[in-house]
Amino acid sequence: MFQLSYENVIYECSLNVFSWLCERLGNIPFYHSSNIMEMLLLNVLKQIVTKAERLIAFAIISRYEKMRFSNRNVRDLRWARDASERAENSAATTFHPVSSSLTCSAMASASTEQSVTDTAATLISKRNSTSVVWNYFGFKKEDAAQLQVLCRACRAPVATSRGNTTNLFQHLKKYHKSMYDSCMTKMPSTSAPDRPNTSRQGSLTEMFESVTPYERNSKRHGEITRAITEFIAKDMMPLSTVTKPGFVALTYTLDKRYNIPSRTYFSQTAIPELYKKCKEKVAAEVKTVEFFASTTDMWSSRTAEPYQSLTVHFIDEDFNLRARCLQTTYFPDDHTGENIAAGLREGLASWDLHEENHVCITTDNASNMVLAARLNEWTRLQCFGHRLHLAIENALKDDRVSRATALCRKLVGHFSHSWKKKAALMEAQRELKLPEHNLITECPTRWGSKEMMIARVLEQAKAISQVLSGDRYARSLIPTWQDIDVLESIHKALHPLLEFTDALSGEEYVSISYLKPVLHLFATSVLAEDAEDTDLTKSIKTKVLAYLNNKYGDPNIQELLDVACFLDPRFKIQYISTDNIPAIKTRLKTEMVDLAQRTYHREKRSRTETVQMPQSAQPLGEKAKRSLGSFFKTSAASPSLPVEDVAEAELNNYLMTPTIDGEDDPLAWWRVHKISYPQLCIMARKYLCVPATSAPSERLFSTGGNIVTCTRSSLKPAKVNILVFLAKNL
């Protein structure tokens, strides 16, 4: 009655029949394994009455399996035909509930063995295989190179690289569980390709959230925007960076949900807000400062706009040296001493810093700076770097030196402006086995660059002569032996001084206490005359030393340097004149006594205000009970010894302790011993914070030069002040 072939049933059954079957059978899962499919169908047949329904069921499910296997290029569904034929032969059989389970299991087992046997007969094994998993996979006979791996059970191709069996195990585990278990029992105990699969499919909500942009007021959006703002401010990047395609692509790659705000937002909102927060933080930090020092300088930007810088330096209670940029203000007035003095006072007042706590200001040697410090009645320390530069320039005022240095500048220009000459110089350096170094250009405001230029010319003298000897137009640039003698004399005198300027220009470590030892080292070793020195070398050393001793001979400056050296546990009184030691001790003792008395009266007044309770606040009818410690408050509040004796004892005990190594940090020593010297440690915080050079202000101008560039020349002075402040204080 039903003579429909398998193929006709596959292509003639409609979706309505498939829906009807699903309603009849319920929610039945379909698997890739043909063996499990046969077991499922045999169980389903128990619930279907007629032969027609059984044929339709096999046809529909086989069609569904064909669609599921289509993406794996299964060309024949021979197992499905066999299953359909076996189901048709067993249609007349009556299923009994008791034996149905055994019958299904037996048929499934027979089907499995038959399927594997048929498939194995058509595939060949992998050559030189060692893993047992290859027993379940093979290759077609025509695949001589054995490139496409096929499953012996379902004929599905499995992608795997040469020698890698991970995908083979995963295929068995996912589609042929019984074969996988059998394979695992044959595996050695040391091989464990089975890895737990912890991945899961995300929900629709998670998928939509992964592509939905962040809200502007969300926490994540704020964190990324704040990080970009700090990047722009700290690294002195132009605001147009946020509009560059590369930066936009970078942010999109890092977080696809983040939409970067506009350039206007960063300019008018993000940067001002960051400046406000940073300024509040710095203001809170300097508000607690007890003593501080400062540096200042004047500078003109690329657009010829004048600015005045101001930095403060202090040591906090944990003995950490801090440096903060307060301002880089626009200064359109005349650069007179009076205007500069007024600008400095306004700068300190705007940060609520009191002048009586100002220890010293370090400036260059300009006359207007000297006058401004004198008008404000501030102690002024001349920048050691500027002083050394002027001393060397004064010592090099010699015709022989002028001719030799001018020749060096011509040589540098000759090789710098011709790539052919530069290539010839490199070739000569290789032939002569000299270091392949370029010549160095002199900077007129940096004496160290002149010394480095001379040293490089002396190093490359042979290579320079070899290159220029073949050029009749440039032979006059070859240094003569007289020029070489002059350059060697200059180099011998100045080279030992080169490292001192850089060492004293730091702002993260104590530098003022070095000045006294450095001047002593100059006089006794570095600039001392040697028997092998030429007359020119001796002359340069003598002039430099005489200039420095004269400029640092001021009694006020000498006393400041002596106090700083005294408070440095590395030096103490080692470099102080014996006649000056009593005066230094007297000065420190007086300041310690005054400080102790002010502290005592301030604490007493504060204690009185906090301990006494107003009458209205006391409960009526109750008498406050006094603690045992309250009976000793009066005696404890007053000092047990006179403050003069306490200060004297601290000074004597400090001098009796041994000095520490010259490489040790003096602030670390004071951090440990501040309990033993409660008053003297405050003096150390007061005087050791003074910088020896005005390099901090110079660095502000270098930062300003990196901000006001050719492409950012339209920045307003207020914006320049904000950007410099953020770059130095973030």
Side-chain angles (χ1 to χ4, degrees):
M1 178 176 175
F2 294 92
Q3 302 298 325
L4 297 176
S5 64
Y6 173 78
E7 289 80 3
N8 292 334
V9 174
I10 290 292
Y11 295 104
E12 292 177 7
C13 291
S14 64
L15 292 176
N16 294 330
V17 178
F18 179 70
S19 300
W20 166 82
L21 182 62
C22 289
E23 293 176 359
R24 182 71 179 270
L25 302 182
N27 187 13
I28 300 177
F30 299 108
Y31 303 93
H32 289 287
S33 174
S34 60
N35 308 317
I36 300 177
M37 176 61 70
E38 289 181 14
M39 296 174 59
L40 173 66
L41 295 179
L42 290 173
N43 282 285
V44 169
L45 287 174
K46 295 184 298 182
Q47 306 175 23
I48 302 180
V49 179
T50 64
K51 179 179 179 180
E53 291 179 347
R54 286 197 294 273
L55 289 177
I56 293 174
F58 276 112
I60 295 299
I61 297 174
S62 298
R63 182 186 181 189
Y64 181 76
E65 278 298 304
K66 184 177 181 180
M67 291 188 294
R68 294 288 297 270
F69 276 93
S70 62
N71 58 342
R72 294 184 296 165
N73 300 323
V74 180
R75 298 180 179 179
D76 60 328
L77 295 174
R78 186 163 44 198
W79 64 270
R81 297 192 189 96
D82 296 340
S84 179
E85 293 174 359
R86 286 193 296 272
E88 186 174 359
N89 293 333
S90 61
T93 305
T94 302
F95 292 94
H96 300 282
V98 177
S99 61
S100 62
S101 177
L102 297 176
T103 305
C104 292
S105 300
M107 296 181 66
S109 176
S111 176
T112 301
E113 294 175 358
Q114 180 66 27
S115 177
V116 173
T117 303
D118 295 344
T119 306
T122 59
L123 297 179
I124 60 176
S125 301
K126 176 179 173 59
R127 294 188 295 269
N128 301 325
S129 62
T130 58
S131 178
V132 295
V133 74
W134 286 107
N135 296 334
Y136 303 90
F137 296 89
F139 303 86
K140 292 183 179 180
K141 293 182 179 180
E142 56 270 20
D143 187 5
Q146 294 190 349
L147 298 178
Q148 188 178 34
V149 181
L150 298 177
C151 177
R152 294 181 183 273
C154 62
R155 286 295 187 91
V158 181
T160 179
S161 60
R162 188 181 301 273
N164 193 341
T165 59
T166 302
N167 288 356
L168 305 183
F169 280 100
Q170 293 297 329
H171 178 82
L172 291 181
K173 182 179 179 181
K174 186 174 183 180
Y175 302 120
H176 314 291
K177 183 63 176 175
S178 60
M179 295 182 182
Y180 175 78
D181 295 337
S182 175
C183 177
M184 293 304 296
T185 58
K186 301 176 184 179
M187 287 286 296
S189 59
T190 57
S191 179
D194 187 14
R195 297 185 179 91
N197 186 11
T198 59
S199 62
R200 70 176 184 86
Q201 182 178 2
S203 63
L204 289 177
T205 303
E206 294 175 348
M207 294 177 62
F208 279 111
E209 287 180 351
S210 64
V211 296
T212 303
Y214 294 119
E215 295 290 339
R216 284 297 182 92
N217 56 355
S218 65
K219 180 180 178 181
R220 180 60 177 166
H221 189 278
E223 290 175 349
I224 300 177
T225 303
R226 186 160 49 253
I228 295 175
T229 306
E230 293 180 358
F231 158 71
I232 293 173
K234 186 65 178 177
D235 293 345
M236 298 169 285
M237 303 299 295
L239 294 175
S240 59
T241 302
V242 299
T243 63
K244 300 294 184 181
F247 186 80
V248 174
L250 172 65
T251 57
Y252 180 78
T253 303
L254 296 177
D255 196 329
K256 295 179 174 58
R257 299 181 60 188
Y258 177 74
N259 289 333
I260 188 169
S262 65
R263 170 181 177 177
T264 305
Y265 173 82
F266 284 99
S267 176
Q268 298 182 3
T269 305
I271 292 292
E273 288 181 356
L274 182 62
Y275 171 71
K276 181 180 179 182
K277 294 180 180 179
C278 186
K279 187 175 181 180
E280 291 175 353
K281 180 181 178 181
V282 174
E285 192 175 12
V286 300
K287 186 177 181 180
T288 60
V289 171
E290 195 167 2
F291 298 103
F292 65 93
S294 63
T295 68
T296 187
D297 206 348
M298 306 299 296
W299 168 73
S300 295
S301 67
R302 183 183 295 271
T303 57
E305 293 177 332
Y307 292 89
Q308 182 187 48
S309 67
L310 180 61
T311 67
V312 294
H313 307 262
F314 56 92
I315 299 175
D316 59 20
E317 295 182 355
D318 294 329
F319 279 89
N320 298 311
L321 183 59
R322 305 294 187 186
R324 293 291 178 261
C325 164
L326 295 188
Q327 61 185 25
T328 307
T329 55
Y330 181 56
F331 200 86
D333 300 330
D334 294 337
H335 295 179
T336 62
E338 292 79 5
N339 293 337
I340 294 176
L344 293 175
R345 289 196 303 270
E346 292 176 1
L348 293 183
S350 64
W351 289 89
D352 199 21
L353 292 172
H354 303 291
E355 294 185 33
E356 56 268 19
N357 297 332
H358 185 253
V359 181
C360 180
I361 184 170
T362 306
T363 69
D364 59 15
N365 304 297
S367 58
N368 53 359
M369 290 294 177
V370 176
L371 178 59
R374 186 164 60 247
L375 291 175
N376 287 340
E377 298 181 354
W378 293 353
T379 302
R380 173 184 165 273
L381 178 65
Q382 46 199 314
C383 174
F384 180 81
H386 284 88
R387 277 301 178 202
L388 186 59
H389 174 79
L390 295 177
I392 292 174
E393 291 295 324
N394 179 69
L396 295 181
K397 291 180 179 179
D398 187 285
D399 293 339
R400 296 170 295 176
V401 174
S402 300
R403 183 189 183 283
T405 54
L407 180 64
C408 290
R409 287 191 290 269
K410 291 180 181 178
L411 283 172
V412 173
H414 182 76
F415 283 96
S416 299
H417 298 137
S418 173
W419 66 269
K420 291 184 178 180
K421 294 296 182 182
K422 186 178 292 185
L425 180 63
M426 294 181 64
E427 184 65 26
Q429 290 170 346
R430 297 190 188 99
E431 293 180 4
L432 299 173
K433 297 182 179 180
L434 294 174
E436 296 184 16
H437 294 159
N438 294 326
L439 300 182
I440 299 176
T441 305
E442 176 194 10
C443 177
T445 59
R446 298 289 183 269
W447 72 267
S449 62
K450 178 180 291 187
E451 157 58 22
M452 289 187 287
M453 177 186 69
I454 293 173
R456 187 58 54 84
V457 170
L458 292 175
E459 178 190 83
Q460 304 294 333
K462 293 182 180 180
I464 292 172
S465 299
Q466 179 174 323
V467 173
L468 298 182
S469 60
D471 188 352
R472 62 178 182 176
Y473 297 105
R475 290 176 183 174
S476 60
L477 297 178
I478 299 177
T480 62
W481 65 269
Q482 295 94 336
D483 296 327
I484 296 296
D485 287 344
V486 172
L487 294 177
E488 289 179 348
S489 299
I490 299 173
H491 176 67
K492 186 176 182 181
L494 300 185
H495 181 69
L497 303 176
L498 190 60
E499 297 180 356
F500 285 96
T501 302
D502 294 336
L504 291 173
S505 298
E507 54 184 300
E508 297 180 354
Y509 52 85
V510 176
S511 58
I512 185 174
S513 58
Y514 273 118
L515 287 181
K516 199 72 175 179
V518 165
L519 293 175
H520 180 270
L521 187 63
F522 282 0
T524 58
S525 176
V526 177
L527 296 178
E529 294 183 4
D530 195 317
E532 298 180 357
D533 291 343
T534 63
D535 293 339
L536 181 58
T537 302
K538 293 180 181 179
S539 175
I540 294 174
K541 288 183 176 181
T542 302
K543 291 180 179 179
V544 171
L545 186 59
Y547 185 91
L548 292 176
N549 290 335
N550 179 46
K551 296 303 180 181
Y552 282 100
D554 183 83
N556 295 328
I557 299 299
Q558 280 292 321
E559 187 174 3
L560 175 64
L561 299 183
D562 287 341
V563 171
C565 186
F566 182 93
L567 294 171
D568 193 324
R570 296 171 297 182
F571 310 124
K572 293 185 178 179
I573 60 175
Q574 182 178 354
Y575 299 101
I576 302 176
S577 174
T578 307
D579 299 335
N580 296 336
I581 294 177
I584 299 302
K585 294 179 64 177
T586 302
R587 173 174 175 171
L588 289 174
K589 180 179 178 181
T590 302
E591 293 188 15
M592 291 166 64
V593 170
D594 294 341
L595 179 63
Q597 291 177 350
R598 290 199 306 269
T599 304
Y600 167 69
H601 292 301
R602 183 170 60 250
E603 292 180 354
K604 182 178 180 180
R605 184 168 55 254
S606 175
R607 188 181 302 111
T608 303
E609 293 175 355
T610 55
V611 171
Q612 290 182 351
M613 183 182 298
Q615 295 295 331
S616 58
Q618 295 183 0
L620 298 177
E622 292 185 11
K623 183 178 180 180
K625 294 182 179 180
R626 296 183 62 183
S627 63
L628 183 60
S630 64
F631 292 97
F632 303 94
K633 271 190 174 182
T634 304
S635 59
S638 60
S640 57
L641 293 175
V643 290
E644 294 83 359
D645 296 342
V646 174
E648 184 70 26
E650 286 191 24
L651 289 172
N652 294 333
N653 291 337
Y654 171 73
L655 293 177
M656 290 176 62
T657 58
T659 57
I660 62 177
D661 187 77
E663 295 292 335
D664 292 342
D665 184 9
L667 297 182
W669 187 91
W670 279 111
R671 189 180 300 117
V672 174
H673 295 83
K674 63 181 179 180
I675 300 178
S676 303
Y677 309 99
Q679 298 300 324
L680 192 59
C681 72
I682 300 178
M683 295 296 101
R685 290 168 51 198
K686 176 179 179 180
Y687 288 102
L688 295 183
C689 67
V690 179
T693 67
S694 60
S697 289
E698 298 284 349
R699 294 188 180 98
L700 287 189
F701 297 147
S702 298
T703 302
N706 293 331
I707 292 175
V708 187
T709 59
C710 295
T711 57
R712 308 178 72 187
S713 58
S714 298
L715 285 173
K716 300 300 181 182
K719 186 68 70 175
V720 173
N721 180 38
I722 291 175
L723 295 177
V724 173
F725 181 88
L726 291 175
K728 299 301 293 185
N729 292 322
L730 279 178

